[in-house]
Amino acid sequence: QVAMTAYSNSILRALPGIFQLKLRENLNRMIDNYFNDPDNVSCPAPASSSGDRFIDLRDLLLTPADSISAGGSGTLPYGDIIPGIKSLFDDMIVECDPVTETSKINEAVIVPITVSQSGIPGTFS
């Protein structure tokens, strides 16, 4: 603790220089080594695919039940993240609030931003 008290100002003055010189040098060296490594010259080959040439957007974007009813396989061959994001998008942007008849994102995002800026919902000044 005595050393910290005695040298804290000197240490604090030296920190920017240490980060500017040593950290930058080391980071630049790491990036240079990465790009000059023969293993990083090209992208790795893609993982094996099902052999299909086309993506079935029904399976990519829809839930399994909706995909089946639209003629897709409904097996989530591309995973469940994109249908989840699409569902969230539909809930927040496409679907309207029955009372205000506006997109739900208005209440969640637009109104707070405009109120904090102008004090009036939906208005920038």
Side-chain angles (χ1 to χ4, degrees):
Q1 188 158 18
V2 172
M4 188 62 173
T5 303
Y7 297 110
S8 63
N9 288 335
S10 297
I11 292 170
L12 290 175
R13 279 195 309 271
L15 281 177
I18 292 170
F19 282 104
Q20 283 294 325
L21 297 175
K22 293 299 178 188
L23 185 63
R24 187 184 329 172
E25 288 173 8
N26 289 331
L27 190 57
N28 284 337
R29 188 178 321 106
M30 287 171 45
I31 291 170
D32 190 50
N33 289 343
Y34 178 82
F35 283 119
N36 289 322
D37 185 348
D39 292 337
N40 300 323
V41 171
S42 64
C43 295
S48 63
S49 66
S50 63
D52 292 337
R53 292 183 53 194
F54 302 101
I55 294 175
D56 188 336
L57 294 178
R58 298 168 297 190
D59 287 328
L60 178 67
L61 298 173
L62 302 175
T63 62
D66 291 341
S67 174
I68 290 170
S69 68
S73 71
T75 60
L76 294 172
Y78 311 108
D80 63 350
I81 293 175
I82 293 178
I85 293 171
K86 183 187 176 295
S87 176
L88 179 66
F89 179 83
D90 289 346
D91 291 346
M92 289 298 293
I93 296 176
V94 177
E95 190 176 311
C96 288
D97 186 307
V99 176
T100 63
E101 295 183 351
T102 59
S103 174
K104 290 181 180 180
I105 199 164
N106 283 350
E107 292 298 320
V109 177
I110 305 300
V111 169
I113 291 172
T114 55
V115 167
S116 71
Q117 195 272 334
S118 69
I120 304 168
T123 302
F124 283 113
S125 59

